[in-house]
């Protein structure tokens, strides 16, 4: 651990800045983890794209399809490859709290910087505040590493800003990935101030959130390595312009990516987001690979349409 438990909030404020990406995991033709491919992707993301940190073994990484040992190995490989060049935040989310703790202890031991835990599914529960507070407190009492909350619709509900602000008082809660409507995350940002870092996965709202809410962290999804290449780092460019207060210039750069965003959006089948992301990676020269059940692979026709849109998107390879 690089900091004491009570220092988690301050350490995150100092070290979590800029663009952090959620890693897709490459699986080979036999659906085994392609460790060499993952390492190659990580080196490209850090060295060529300048990505500041990685969100590992999350929904983008298909964590639900992985064994406990695979999830641990995923964390270990990412922490090793990132070293001191980029930060790591490991998803230890699971419905079984003992699994969450086991993964959290492994994250501490393998050199991760932080962990993230999504809000659990709560069957038949309608008054969630006390349940959620005690859930995160239980984890905070037993782990020393900084913990980020994570609220998204897949849980079947969204954590209220007031609930999140209460949980933010716990000593090693240092951030939240808040996949909610903008009004909700803007309200939480105003409520917690500098106490924890608030972020969401929407790349298209990132610039506005820097300017209007004073955000310092994009946490995180796949756009940082799907919208950018070694020779075309416009997301990084508009981010740095915004951090420098040059918002008019930043907006021009951001808006110049609309053709790329439209190419991705218009060709992504509603039931195949992960396969589409991996195929787009392959078009970029990254390691994509297969998806695991229950996710579906792209058809050849879907690949052909995606490739045509990719080639017309204006990305510089």
């Amino acid at each position: 651990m690089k900091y004491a438990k009570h220092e988690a909030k301050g350490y995150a404020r100092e070290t979590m800045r800029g663009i952090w990406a959620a890693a897709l995991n490459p699986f080979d033709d036999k659906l085994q983890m392609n460790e060499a491919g993952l390492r190659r992707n990580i080196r490209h993301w850090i060295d060529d794209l300048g990505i500041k940190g990685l969100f590992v073994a999350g929904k983008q990484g298909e964590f639900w399809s992985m064994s406990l040992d695979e999830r641990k190995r995923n964390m270990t490989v990412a922490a090793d490859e990132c070293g001191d060049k980029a930060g790591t935040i490991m998803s230890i989310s699971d419905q079984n709290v003992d699994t969450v703790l086991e993964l959290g202890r492994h994250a501490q031991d393998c050199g991760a910087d932080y962990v993230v835990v999504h809000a659990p599914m709560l069957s038949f529960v309608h008054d969630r505040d006390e349940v959620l507070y005690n859930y995160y407190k239980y984890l905070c009492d037993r782990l020393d590493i900084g913990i980020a909350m994570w609220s998204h619709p897949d849980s079947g509900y969204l954590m209220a800003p007031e609930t999140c602000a209460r949980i933010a008082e716990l000593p090693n809660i240092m951030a939240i990935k808040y996949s909610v409507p903008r009004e909700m995350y803007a309200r939480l940002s105003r409520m917690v101030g500098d106490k924890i870092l608030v972020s969401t996965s929407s790349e298209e709202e990132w610039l506005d959130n820097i300017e209007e809410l004073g955000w310092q962290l994009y946490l995180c999804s796949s756009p940082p390595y799907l919208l950018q290449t070694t020779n075309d780092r416009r997301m990084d460019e508009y981010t740095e312009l915004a951090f420098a207060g040059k918002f008019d210039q930043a907006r021009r750069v951001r808006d110049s990516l609309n053709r790329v965003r439209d190419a991705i959006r218009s060709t992504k089948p509603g039931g195949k987001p992960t396969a589409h992301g991996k195929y787009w990676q392959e078009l970029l020269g990254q390691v994509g690979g297969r998806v695991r059940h229950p996710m579906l692979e792209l058809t050849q026709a879907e690949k052909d349409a995606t490739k045509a849109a990719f080639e017309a998107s204006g990305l510089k390879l």
Side-chain angles (χ1 to χ4, degrees):
M1 293 289 296
K2 303 171 185 175
Y3 52 89
K5 184 172 185 170
H6 69 278
E7 297 172 330
K9 286 177 167 61
Y11 188 79
R13 177 67 56 182
E14 292 175 8
T15 61
M16 295 189 86
R17 181 177 175 82
I19 296 170
W20 287 47
L24 287 158
N25 273 324
F27 299 120
D28 64 22
D29 288 342
K30 295 182 179 179
L31 295 179
Q32 299 302 303
M33 174 70 77
N34 183 346
E35 287 191 13
L38 177 60
R39 288 181 183 274
R40 177 181 154 190
N41 283 345
I42 291 173
R43 291 265 53 83
H44 169 63
W45 297 339
I46 297 171
D47 298 340
D48 301 329
L49 304 184
I51 291 172
K52 301 298 189 289
L54 296 180
F55 187 117
V56 177
K59 291 195 296 179
Q60 295 281 1
E62 300 171 74
F63 80 88
W64 63 81
S65 74
M66 299 167 69
S67 70
L68 190 57
D69 285 343
E70 285 179 317
R71 293 178 70 180
K72 289 179 180 179
R73 182 62 184 165
N74 194 189
M75 294 179 192
T76 299
V77 169
D80 176 63
E81 202 62 47
C82 287
D84 59 1
K85 292 186 176 181
T88 54
I89 182 165
M90 310 299 190
S91 173
I92 61 172
S93 301
D94 200 89
Q95 197 63 15
N96 183 297
V97 73
D98 291 333
T99 299
V100 175
L101 288 173
E102 184 173 346
L103 290 169
R105 292 177 183 124
H106 179 78
Q108 292 177 166
D109 292 342
C110 77
D113 292 297
Y114 311 99
V115 297
V116 59
V117 183
H118 70 53
M121 292 183 291
L122 297 175
S123 302
F124 314 118
V125 176
H126 301 289
D127 185 3
R128 304 184 188 97
D129 183 76
E130 200 65 28
V131 177
L132 291 169
Y133 178 82
N134 279 282
Y135 177 72
Y136 281 101
K137 184 176 187 304
Y138 184 86
L139 299 175
C140 286
D141 287 347
R142 289 159 177 80
L143 295 173
D144 295 324
I145 197 167
I147 300 173
M149 296 176 278
W150 185 10
S151 179
H152 53 71
D154 294 359
S155 296
Y157 61 92
L158 298 175
M159 293 172 64
E162 292 77 12
T163 301
C164 298
R166 183 186 177 200
I167 295 169
E169 299 289 339
L170 295 168
N172 47 327
I173 295 289
M174 32 57 70
I176 181 170
K177 182 178 179 182
Y178 207 23
S179 303
V180 300
R182 194 167 193 269
E183 186 280 330
M184 289 180 68
Y185 68 66
R187 183 149 55 100
L188 178 61
S189 292
R190 292 189 290 268
M191 292 172 70
V192 298
D194 290 340
K195 193 167 297 177
I196 64 169
L197 298 170
V198 180
S199 188
T200 196
S201 59
S202 172
E203 179 271 328
E204 294 183 63
E205 297 173 38
W206 167 226
L207 173 55
D208 294 335
N209 292 334
I210 298 172
E211 182 175 15
E212 298 170 18
L213 300 176
W215 281 13
Q216 69 177 58
L217 174 67
Y218 176 78
L219 182 75
C220 51
S221 190
S222 55
Y225 55 83
L226 298 183
L227 295 178
Q228 301 192 102
T229 72
T230 305
N231 299 311
D232 193 343
R233 290 173 50 173
R234 277 177 280 173
M235 184 178 177
D236 181 70
E237 182 183 353
Y238 83 67
T239 296
E240 293 304 318
L241 285 168
F243 283 162
K246 300 176 181 179
F247 295 110
D248 289 341
Q249 290 176 251
R251 272 188 286 274
R252 286 195 290 273
V253 176
R254 178 197 62 186
D255 293 349
S256 74
L257 281 166
N258 283 340
R259 283 172 60 196
V260 186
R261 296 186 188 98
D262 289 343
I264 293 174
R265 186 184 300 114
S266 65
T267 58
K268 184 189 299 183
K272 303 178 181 180
T274 310
H276 186 271
K278 290 186 178 185
Y279 182 61
W280 193 273
Q281 281 186 284
E282 292 173 4
L283 294 172
L284 287 166
Q286 300 174 34
V287 182
R290 295 186 59 191
V291 296
R292 285 181 172 177
H293 291 293
M295 308 307 288
L296 299 174
E297 301 284 3
L298 296 183
T299 65
Q300 188 58 51
E302 289 165 341
K303 288 183 177 181
D304 291 344
T306 300
K307 185 177 181 181
F310 172 83
E311 292 173 345
S313 69
L315 265 177
K316 301 169 190 164
L317 297 178

